[in-house]
Amino acid sequence: MLTAIAAAASWSCPAVCTPLSVRLVHEAGAPVQLRIDVYSASEPVLAWSGTAGPGPYPLALIWSGASLHLSAPLPILPSLAAGPVQSMSLRNVGTSDRLEMLVREPVYPKLRHAGSTWVLELEPEPMRTAAPPDASGSDAATATAAAPQPPALPREAGPVAKVLPQRGPSSVAGDRSNPAAAASTPHPEQLLVDLTVNGLRQADIARAEQLSDGRVLLAREDWQQARLVEPGEPVPLSDGTPGFALDAIAGLRFRVDRQRMAIDVEAPASAFAVSSMDTAQALQASPARPSPGALLNYDFTLSHPLNAPTTAAATLEAVGFGRFGTAVTSALASKDGERSRLVRLDSYWQFDTPESMHTLVLGDTVGVAGGWSRPVRYGGLRWGRDFGLRPGFVTMPLPSLRGEAALPSTVDLLVNDSRRFSQSVGPGPFDIRNVPVITGAGEMNLVVRDLLGRQTVLQQSYYASPRLLARGLSDFSLEGGWMRTGFGAESQYGTPFGAATLRRGITPGLTGEGRLELQRDRQAAGVEVATLIGTWGVGRMAMAASRDRFQETPERGALVKFGIERSTARAGGALQYEYATRGFAPLGESRDAGVLARRSREQVLATIGGRLWGPLNAGLSYVRRVQWSSERISSLGLTLHIPLGQAAALTLSASRRLDDGGHGWSGSINLNVPLGGELYTSARVERPENGHTVSSVIALRNPPAGPGLGWRAESSTEPRQRARGGLQYNTNHGDVTVDVVADAAARVSTRASARGTVGMMAGLPFASRPVGQGSFAVVQVQGVAGVPIKRSNQVVAVTDDRGLAFVPGLVPWNKNVIEIDAADLPLDAEVQAVTREVVPYARSGALVHFDVRRTRQALLVLHRSDGQPAPLGARVRLLASGVEFEAGRRGEVWLTDLTSDQQRVVVSWPGGGCELDLRIPPSEGGEPITLEPLVCDRPAQ
């Protein structure tokens, strides 16, 4: 008997909606069918919760963005004995519309499409749970894997279960495999099927075999394509191909549909392979080594102070660079009255290898301090790690996040409420490594949204500190040479020494360091560990011991050091304590009679600072040092920063000596007010410990990054500097500064200085503003003069008559963008690219070339022999280059790429044409030429 229940009443639908009607069809002995008529372009998604626990079970059809409305009332549902559907409703949840129902008994829903009708068939649930093997080792025949049922869904939250959209005709209940029948099959049955896993149909046809005991084997290749975890050793299929049994994964359920030749699999998230996502950015390739070159940095100063003879001084630094590395030597020359002197400062050779982040220095250099020692200046050798050679290389350990999704989902990662990462993931566990975070304490939020719109949020706190190294990462320094004293005066090389420092990340939360120092009369060794304190902060502890034979009796000593620090987005602070015995000898200590008395016994340092209230920031510091001579030094400092308006700021600072040697407190009040552009003004009141308050007012205009003028004017209550003014003028070839100071008696002292760099690279001489410790670029714009060159969107140079410009101030090892503006080029100039990226070595230069091509252009007007313009679309071809142009209205043709003053052209149009000889007159400044109208009366050859 066929029972059809349909609505008799109609309903008026608004203009912006999609009408929907439902019919319920129940035929005796056949599955119940719901026939849904809906004229919507969107495809519904079938969602249900499975059949775990007692019913009823929720089931839903979900349309996204369809604005569904009933065009007829929902059908009257039959009694309990007449069908499985208990209730039905249409409701809107967020941006989706859902036809929801509750079914009394376990069913297997199947959805197919027929024209504008969607047919939902509710077939009685055929799946059975696999029985465990008995003691004899035999397995019970089954068509599904043993798996726990998924949890039931909340009644009001909507479906949150597995999704299996299906297309095409579905199988009927009698067509599926029967485990008992399969058990009677003597040989495995080979299957070529469509494989659907958690609602996702795999792209390729899958190979499977059903064994006589009802188990189903899936070929290993298809298993991996579905991203399922391999449960163990593969089981061979009949042809020897390795595969795996679907019932080998706990929690996995499957169904073999022979009519559709398909296998539908429902698997928990743990059944899938882990998706690993590394958010660390790839390091840029190592830059090419620079072309050979040399430069000389100079800084000349001439001073005429009050009541003193004129003095002159110059600092000179010569640098040679190339593939061999960088060689540097510097000196200080001065003349004070009748006395002149020349002092060498540093001389060294340095070779950097950015690929391995190693640096080798031979000559004068400064060592590293380590966690408990201190750096010294010496002459000799230093080889060590330099992470600065690879910008973007993160040394500190970065946190990771793990999660899982049962359905394809989108993962959004937020760090301190700022989105850092977004990516789609397949079903299964996922692992996000090297999450980009800021240092200090923070919070990460992982937002997972599946294709049903369900959202899961995972929160995790973290603490990141540059004091820690990533696990397995090492930092080291090897030093050896002779201690240097008297730098800048009378340099002397004395006691030989050697030192080695090694830091290594042991775990993500623990970094260790060891250091050894060897001298003829002194040896020292020590360790330091830095560790995370949960997600609160970082703690450090260092211990060292030394043996010193400065006196007749060798002294032995020890040092201990503790520290803790915490930093957040709002505030931060640190506390450090150090204690050393009388016999502990620091590296580089002077050797005189009072050395033991001057040694430090105890040191305490405490700082805290951050946002106090709103935009108000404050900082507090405390320092205490006690020497073995019983001399004590302690002080307390306070700083307060108050923003005023958009850009102005008021800064107050005060400090006080707390020991007996103090003479009171000192402090200052500083008001900074930007006036727009490069103009600033400030007022300052300062009180030193002696109580003599000094006030000053300053106005200044900073010079531009490129050529230009800057100035400074200052008035003060200080008698020796009642008024002061200065000018700084930047040119393409150097900087010139003039300062004038007047005291209370109107006596004037002056000072003038000139700074810059001269050199040569790749055969090109240059003179520019000072390069200093940075890098530079020589820019070529192929003979075009007067072109502004920009660095970081600021004009820093202008090309000279040779089309060359010198750009200082580049950041070594980083991408520096050099650019020109095509609007600044002559009209007859064409440039392929207006930006160049350059990564220079330290203390070196790079060549930057802009390929500019000069072209001649002319406007040609063509007339036919009857005086009429040449036809629209007539073709004009230059015989020399073969380039063709097309005539526009009034016979006008725009010619480009004219390589010579004489041009022969061929003109053609349907039914006519001619040849012409053109003479192109010279142009001024690259302006296009307009030629007199020419008559096309000579036929083409």
Side-chain angles (χ1 to χ4, degrees):
M1 175 180 179
L2 179 65
T3 303
I5 306 173
S10 63
W11 182 77
S12 177
C13 182
V16 284
C17 73
T18 300
L20 175 143
S21 64
V22 182
R23 290 175 295 163
L24 180 63
V25 179
H26 186 194
E27 182 181 359
V32 173
Q33 289 186 356
L34 286 170
R35 298 183 179 180
I36 301 103
D37 295 315
V38 57
Y39 295 90
S40 172
S42 63
E43 182 175 320
V45 174
L46 173 62
W48 80 100
S49 65
T51 57
Y57 310 105
L59 185 149
L61 286 177
I62 304 172
W63 286 265
S64 296
S67 299
L68 299 178
H69 291 270
L70 290 173
S71 61
L74 291 173
I76 300 174
L77 299 176
S79 62
L80 176 62
V85 182
Q86 174 177 316
S87 65
M88 188 184 310
S89 64
L90 178 68
R91 68 188 187 106
N92 177 268
V93 179
T95 60
S96 64
D97 292 292
R98 303 176 179 226
L99 180 62
E100 299 180 346
M101 61 199 76
L102 293 177
V103 292
R104 299 183 178 92
E105 59 191 48
V107 295
Y108 185 79
K110 294 178 291 185
L111 185 66
R112 54 188 172 89
H113 197 195
S116 62
T117 301
W118 289 90
V119 179
L120 177 61
E121 189 173 81
L122 304 179
E123 182 180 353
E125 174 65 67
M127 293 188 178
R128 299 192 310 175
T129 301
D134 56 22
S136 62
S138 61
D139 296 332
T142 179
T144 63
Q149 296 284 353
L153 302 176
R155 293 290 188 264
E156 299 300 327
V160 292
K162 311 296 185 295
V163 177
L164 273 170
Q166 303 178 28
R167 292 182 175 86
S170 299
S171 64
V172 295
D175 290 331
R176 66 181 184 272
S177 64
N178 187 334
S184 64
T185 304
H187 300 291
E189 181 183 4
Q190 298 184 2
L191 302 173
L192 295 177
V193 296
D194 285 330
L195 179 64
T196 301
V197 181
N198 283 11
L200 291 180
R201 182 178 177 181
Q202 303 302 302
D204 299 327
I205 299 297
R207 289 186 55 202
E209 285 186 358
Q210 188 162 24
L211 306 181
S212 59
D213 59 3
R215 292 186 301 157
V216 174
L217 301 180
L218 187 65
R220 186 177 198 171
E221 181 180 356
D222 299 304
W223 190 279
Q224 294 174 345
Q225 186 71 24
R227 298 183 52 253
L228 294 172
V229 175
E230 295 186 0
E233 293 297 325
V235 178
L237 276 66
S238 58
D239 61 355
T241 303
F244 298 97
L246 288 174
D247 61 355
I249 294 182
L252 184 144
R253 293 163 54 85
F254 69 92
R255 171 186 172 85
V256 179
D257 192 327
R258 298 180 179 279
Q259 181 175 345
R260 293 170 42 234
M261 290 304 296
I263 296 179
D264 299 325
V265 175
E266 299 175 39
S270 58
F272 295 92
V274 177
S275 299
S276 295
M277 294 164 282
D278 197 333
T279 63
Q281 296 182 355
L283 293 175
Q284 64 188 28
S286 299
R289 293 201 171 270
S291 303
L295 58 87
L296 176 68
N297 292 313
Y298 62 86
D299 187 350
F300 297 110
T301 302
L302 184 65
S303 301
H304 182 68
L306 294 173
N307 302 324
T310 300
T311 62
T315 301
L316 303 173
E317 183 182 55
V319 181
F321 56 87
R323 296 181 178 276
F324 57 84
T326 305
V328 180
T329 185
S330 57
L332 171 65
S334 63
K335 183 176 182 180
D336 185 2
E338 300 298 327
R339 180 187 175 192
S340 300
R341 65 172 184 160
L342 177 65
V343 178
R344 184 184 63 82
L345 299 178
D346 281 326
S347 299
Y348 63 90
W349 170 78
Q350 180 172 332
F351 189 81
D352 299 316
T353 54
E355 299 84 2
S356 57
M357 294 178 288
H358 290 163
T359 293
L360 175 64
V361 179
L362 293 177
D364 298 318
T365 185
V366 178
V368 300
W372 52 268
S373 186
R374 60 188 183 185
V376 294
R377 189 179 292 273
Y378 68 97
L381 176 147
R382 177 170 63 86
W383 179 51
R385 184 88 72 187
D386 185 356
F387 294 117
L389 302 181
R390 300 295 299 271
F393 184 83
V394 180
T395 61
M396 65 181 182
L398 295 177
S400 299
L401 283 173
R402 293 178 176 85
E404 63 178 25
L407 299 175
S409 304
T410 299
V411 175
D412 292 322
L413 177 63
L414 291 84
V415 178
N416 295 339
D417 297 327
S418 177
R419 179 175 293 183
R420 296 298 181 90
F421 177 77
S422 181
Q423 185 169 320
S424 298
V425 298
F430 56 84
D431 181 13
I432 304 177
R433 295 174 294 180
N434 295 322
V435 176
V437 297
I438 59 175
T439 57
E443 186 175 84
M444 299 180 294
N445 289 280
L446 187 67
V447 183
V448 183
R449 295 182 181 88
D450 66 16
L451 54 78
L452 292 181
R454 297 174 300 185
Q455 177 174 296
T456 303
V457 179
L458 173 66
Q459 290 186 341
Q460 180 176 321
S461 298
Y462 74 88
Y463 195 91
S465 173
R467 291 193 179 276
L468 301 175
L469 290 178
R471 183 192 320 205
L473 185 63
S474 297
D475 186 11
F476 71 95
S477 178
L478 299 177
E479 306 158 26
W482 293 264
M483 298 281 191
R484 187 180 183 187
T485 58
F487 177 77
E490 299 294 335
S491 292
Q492 295 180 355
Y493 297 92
T495 307
F497 86 105
T501 305
L502 174 64
R503 293 181 65 226
R504 185 173 179 85
I506 302 171
T507 69
L510 180 65
T511 296
E513 176 188 294
R515 178 174 172 87
L516 177 65
E517 299 171 349
L518 299 176
Q519 296 175 261
R520 182 179 56 192
D521 296 328
R522 173 189 172 276
Q523 300 83 41
V527 296
E528 184 200 43
V529 292
T531 181
L532 286 177
I533 306 174
T535 58
W536 186 89
V538 172
R540 296 186 299 140
M541 182 183 69
M543 296 182 295
S546 70
R547 181 176 181 271
D548 185 17
R549 291 185 294 178
F550 173 63
Q551 296 179 333
E552 293 183 1
T553 303
E555 290 279 351
R556 289 179 172 83
L559 175 144
V560 292
K561 191 173 184 180
F562 303 94
I564 188 172
E565 63 183 41
R566 172 174 168 79
S567 174
T568 68
R570 182 180 179 90
L575 176 64
Q576 181 175 297
Y577 174 80
E578 178 181 321
Y579 179 84
T581 65
R582 186 182 183 89
F584 184 80
L587 180 65
E589 182 182 58
S590 63
R591 298 305 206 183
D592 55 40
V595 61
L596 297 180
R598 290 194 305 270
R599 286 180 177 173
S600 174
R601 182 178 67 183
E602 191 178 45
Q603 295 187 65
V604 178
L605 172 64
T607 61
I608 187 172
R611 196 185 321 161
L612 193 62
W613 176 75
L616 186 64
N617 289 274
L620 183 67
S621 64
Y622 171 75
V623 178
R624 179 172 179 266
R625 182 172 184 267
V626 181
Q627 295 180 341
W628 279 100
S629 62
S630 298
E631 181 181 356
R632 300 172 182 267
I633 301 173
S634 60
S635 65
L636 183 68
L638 174 66
T639 302
L640 194 64
H641 183 78
I642 308 172
L644 303 175
Q646 294 294 327
L650 179 66
T651 303
L652 295 86
S653 63
S655 63
R656 181 177 179 83
R657 289 279 297 272
L658 304 179
D659 53 84
D660 297 336
H663 301 286
W665 64 276
S666 62
S668 66
I669 302 175
N670 196 3
L671 175 64
N672 292 307
V673 182
L675 300 180
E678 299 293 333
L679 188 61
Y680 297 85
T681 183
S682 66
R684 182 178 179 85
V685 179
E686 185 174 5
R687 181 191 185 279
E689 285 189 8
N690 59 17
H692 179 65
T693 302
V694 177
S695 303
S696 61
V697 177
I698 304 172
L700 61 90
R701 182 185 186 277
N702 292 322
L709 180 68
W711 54 266
R712 176 188 178 97
E714 179 180 351
S715 177
S716 173
T717 59
E718 172 64 35
R720 293 177 298 176
Q721 191 173 301
R722 187 57 55 85
R724 178 180 178 181
L727 294 174
Q728 179 177 339
Y729 183 63
N730 294 347
T731 71
N732 278 336
H733 307 297
D735 300 341
V736 178
T737 303
V738 177
D739 287 315
V740 178
V741 179
D743 63 5
R747 293 174 297 184
V748 176
S749 61
T750 59
R751 185 181 67 180
S753 63
R755 302 185 308 146
T757 298
V758 295
M760 178 175 289
M761 186 178 71
L764 299 174
F766 58 83
S768 79
R769 295 194 303 281
V771 173
Q773 302 293 318
S775 303
F776 65 92
V778 176
V779 181
Q780 296 176 299
V781 193
Q782 284 200 338
V784 182
V787 179
I789 307 298
K790 297 180 181 179
R791 181 200 67 217
S792 302
N793 299 318
Q794 290 185 322
V795 176
V796 293
V798 179
T799 57
D800 58 16
D801 294 338
R802 301 171 296 171
L804 299 178
F806 188 88
V807 179
L810 300 188
V811 182
W813 314 113
N814 285 266
K815 286 184 178 180
N816 298 263
V817 178
I818 308 295
E819 58 183 323
I820 61 175
D821 193 339
D824 296 323
L825 298 175
L827 293 177
D828 63 344
E830 295 181 357
V831 60
Q832 296 296 322
V834 295
T835 60
R836 290 284 189 269
E837 287 186 349
V838 57
V839 182
Y841 274 61
R843 312 298 301 272
S844 301
L847 287 174
V848 179
H849 180 75
F850 288 96
D851 187 11
V852 177
R853 188 166 62 94
R854 306 298 291 267
T855 65
R856 303 184 66 184
Q857 305 173 16
L859 179 64
L860 172 65
V861 180
L862 289 174
H863 288 173
R864 296 185 295 190
S865 58
D866 58 2
Q868 296 298 318
L872 179 67
R875 308 298 298 178
V876 179
R877 180 166 56 92
L878 300 178
L879 287 180
S881 61
V883 180
E884 285 193 356
F885 304 91
E886 186 173 321
R889 297 181 181 274
R890 299 180 296 276
E892 295 178 346
V893 184
W894 185 260
L895 304 178
T896 60
D897 293 330
L898 300 175
T899 57
S900 63
D901 296 340
Q902 300 291 333
Q903 293 287 337
R904 187 173 184 83
V905 299
V906 175
V907 184
S908 61
W909 62 81
C914 66
E915 288 190 11
L916 293 173
D917 290 322
L918 301 182
R919 181 181 178 278
I920 312 299
S923 64
E924 296 182 0
E927 295 289 338
I929 303 298
T930 301
L931 303 177
E932 295 294 331
L934 298 178
V935 178
C936 191
D937 56 359
R938 186 171 58 188
Q941 299 296 327

